[in-house]
Amino acid sequence: MARPPPFIGPIRGGKGKSRTIGLSMSTRIHITVSGAVQGVGFRPFVYGLATRAGLAGFVLNEPRGVTIELEGPREAIGVFLAELESSPPPLARIERIETRETAPLGESGFRIRESAAYGERSVLVPPDLATCSDCLREMADPSDRRYRYPFINCTNCGPRYTIIQDLPYDRAKTTMADFVMCSACRAEYEDPANRRFHAEPTCCPVCGPRVWLADRAGGEVPCGAPIGEAIRCLSAGAIVAIKGLGGFHLACDAANTEAVALLRARKHRDLKPFAIMVRDAAAAEAICRFACDAERRLLESAERPIVLLDKLPAHALAEGVAPRSPSFGVMLPYTPLHHLLMEGPFRALVMTSGNLSDEPIAHTNEDAFHRLAELADWFLLHNRRIHIRTDDSVVRVIAGQLRFLRRSRGYAPFPVKLPFDTTGNEILAAGPELNNTVCVTRGEYAFLSHHIGDLTNLAAYEAFLQGVEHLQNVLEVYPATIAFDPHPGYLSTKYAREQTAKGVPVQHHHAHAVSALVEANHPGPAIAVSFDGLGWGADDLLWGGEFLVVHDYARSDRVAHLESVPQPGGDAAAKETTRMAFAYLHAAFGADAVRLCQEWFPDQADRFPLLARMIARRVNCPHTTSMGRLFDAAAALLGICRYNTFHSQAPMELEAQAHLAASEQQAYDAGMVSSGDGALVVKSTDVIRALVNDIRRNVSAPVCAARFHNAVAHATLCVCEHIRKRSGLSTVALSGGVFANKFLTERLVSLLENKGFNALLNAAVPPGDGGVSLGQAAAAAWSCKKHVPGDSSANY
Ligand SMILES: [Zn+2]
Ligand SMILES: [Zn+2]
């Protein structure tokens, strides 16, 4: 983020002129502060700072940020600005401070001025933030009027994005408009010196929302202490649906094996890990290990994401919480209601999304009764409406930094700054099919929606439509251009093609590459490594192990890729990993593959002659260069995972094995050949052949898994060195879902850096498909801006 200009020396003039402040007794300056400075306690902060410094003037919320006028001694103004720059309110994100001198008016006293009607909207909508320490202190104080009140909040914390229906951000345009403030709350709300000055969700037990417990039929359970009653139910092994900030959670006691098993059965979820909530960092340390300080900081941050942490061997939670996974997804309480719940006698609570398998999370009381009645025994409800459903964000520390697996609550819709201005060329990017997010640009910003999910059912598609509409409404931008993934089967693609706006297809792996380059403010040219499960290729094949030379945000060439192998059964092969194992053995050993696989997977012996015929006759066997499918094949051959019950299960379990042999440095060799069109081909079948040899020699699964990861890292380095020799490029952007793999990513980054490459990784958006909409938006905006012809390999 740009540092604000210092006050010392010339002050920036409004129309490009600069002049130095004179030495007159009283000086008046006009300051505009842009960034996320509304709804974060900025005006009371300015009020306190100005009055302490004895300065006159005013502060005012304006469409583009906050305007301040200060009058008084020059030194005092200097102190004010230094303080504003060095320690703004914790949740404010200052983008720019501009100052200009005006004539002193002889004003006395400092005021917070009422905002006039807005001509144009502020572009930065604040995200939802965890309860602050001041509010927690009040909530624990028996003499406070909000003692144990589950909706306590202030200008530094509480709901934002999830309750905002329209902008500008004030109470009437949030779902808190349902509640009329009592006189005590209003007095705080109107007092500039108060922590709740213009905190829009301000409320108390007298005037605000309330909590109650309901049974499955929707009937309120008469009780004086609904949260205490919910704790009692959870302790007794019940499953409770809990309405939170962005939607419902399904909760149970994470140490209760039967309750966890029951929740899995009811949710139809066999193996995908459940997220858990613990009281505080110390409680997290009783079950997990912090591998670095960054993990602890993330866990305790105001954004409160789910952080993946290594399990301790003696964690004492039910195995069913995260079976076959070496880590727990852990979060701390982020609403007052959570804090009160966590007073219960739990080591941890399972807090998984309130939905059935792949559907969107339930977010209204009616929807919860409708969809969760079979899943939950009890419902802990409240009457503050959630306008936009927002799942918990999921993060992991890789190569020392935060990486998103899912970017949603706490982060959305905070924008990513683009390296160029899109004014006049605003873009709506429709995103891919899996882990969909959408993106709208406005000026120099790209706004990514919350996580919308997999667009594989009608409910998800409806959530997608609502997400598109909401994002455009709060930004008041209705782009004339829509970027989309060229995959013909995606609902997001179908949506884009149905709109009257001009459509710009952006190839999937190019979009991944651009997302990483844009974040790093790197204009290209650069090498990009784009590894994932699947993306529609420019040759109508399934890509996923791609090396690009990105010329600029709109154009790239595919210069290398994994060997192409058949994917017998198409989508079915993305689930049943033995299909890919067979396809690779067939490519490596020819007709012997049938016998080999029958020995390897005797219970599926009948399937392999059939797969061989499918491949020979090219029936339902699209060709793929996917890195994800190569991981699937290796996981199947090692007996680690034969079926992906959730997205990326086999690669995740293969990675978990590799971590058990972290000191292993050997790597399988992969040859390289030139294809007909001049692209380099990585012989992934060499890797599979070497893996098969190791398995036959009874080398352990962890060592094999580590050698496999090392092979991918070394082959990638080798290709990058080839490309550097030809192009002179030494920056490598790494993007795609495979880079959520910590083992591979950290090895590869260190190999690249040792050879003098500059490796760029996503940190502001997910490397996986949740970040694709950013790349789509930037690519389309750039091609519109530069009038790049729409027929290159990237945009066609
Ligand atoms: Zn607070
Ligand atoms: Zn009140």
Side-chain angles (χ1 to χ4, degrees), residues 130-136 152-158 195-196:
T131 313
C132 72
S133 53
D134 288 335
C135 285
L136 287 179
I152 189 169
N153 68 82
C154 72
T155 48
N156 292 325
C157 72
R195 206 154 61 70
R196 295 198 169 82

Side-chain angles (χ1 to χ4, degrees), residues 375-395:
L375 281 74
D377 301 302
W378 304 99
F379 289 77
L380 189 63
L381 302 172
H382 62 71
N383 56 342
R384 186 178 68 202
R385 286 180 294 127
I386 298 168
H387 182 64
I388 276 288
R389 71 181 105 212
T390 310
D391 295 78
D392 296 316
S393 295
V394 186
V395 304

Side-chain angles (χ1 to χ4, degrees), residues 416-420 514-524 553 760:
V416 176
K417 186 123 192 290
L418 293 171
F420 57 96
V514 169
S515 76
L517 290 172
V518 159
E519 271 196 35
N521 202 2
H522 192 294
Y553 299 134
L760 305 177

Side-chain angles (χ1 to χ4, degrees), residues 145-146 149 171 180-186 188 202-208:
R145 66 191 192 88
R146 292 187 183 86
Y149 182 54
R171 181 151 177 140
V180 179
M181 266 185 252
C182 68
S183 55
C185 283
R186 179 152 292 280
E188 291 174 305
T202 295
C203 58
C204 74
V206 173
C207 65

Side-chain angles (χ1 to χ4, degrees), residues 239 252 256-266 269 274 318 320:
I239 294 166
C252 72
N256 184 327
T257 304
E258 292 79 34
V260 172
L262 183 64
L263 180 54
R264 285 216 172 269
R266 288 189 187 167
R269 185 150 145 177
F274 286 141

